[in-house]
Amino acid sequence: MEKLLVTTTENIPGKNYEVIGEVFGLTTQSKNVFKNIGAGLKNVIGGEIKAYTELLTESRDTAVDRLRDNATAMGADAVVMMRYDSDSISQDMETVAAYGTAVKFVD
């Protein structure tokens, strides 16, 4: 099955569509204690904290997958104007929301 199109633009070239409504994908994730210890040590010496980069990447991907599921359940053909929002709940937990507008293609 082909993934539902998700774009950050307002228009999809060559497509006319009608708006169905808002769609969201949410997730809150954390890393395990061993990766948190490694991240703490990296914080002392500096540099990229790869465990947290992975955390944000996984969170973003999960949020977009859930956004696609939400849009598919609404009968959408695509999502336009997709955006992200994120927030730290604690030092090792991150919440990511992907949101946009579900649309249905018309002739």
Side-chain angles (χ1 to χ4, degrees), residues 34-104:
F34 298 110
K35 288 193 177 189
N36 285 337
I37 291 169
L41 293 173
K42 189 69 167 183
N43 192 33
V44 172
I45 59 173
E48 180 181 8
I49 302 172
K50 293 186 185 208
Y52 288 114
T53 300
E54 291 171 7
L55 171 68
L56 288 170
T57 300
E58 290 169 12
S59 297
R60 182 199 65 211
D61 292 346
T62 299
V64 172
D65 286 344
R66 290 180 180 173
L67 171 113
R68 280 189 170 104
D69 291 345
N70 184 203
T72 299
M74 293 173 70
D77 292 316
V79 175
V80 297
M81 298 297 294
M82 192 278 297
R83 300 289 186 261
Y84 292 107
D85 193 11
S86 66
D87 194 17
S88 295
I89 292 177
S90 68
Q91 190 173 11
D92 61 347
M93 280 196 226
E94 189 72 21
T95 294
V96 175
Y99 57 96
T101 301
V103 299
K104 184 83 173 160

Side-chain angles (χ1 to χ4, degrees), residues 2 5-6 10 12 19 21 28 41 52 69 87 92 104 107:
E2 189 174 318
L5 175 65
V6 175
E10 183 176 0
I12 302 169
V19 171
T28 300
L41 293 173
Y52 288 114
D69 291 345
D87 194 17
D92 61 347
K104 184 83 173 160
D107 293 332

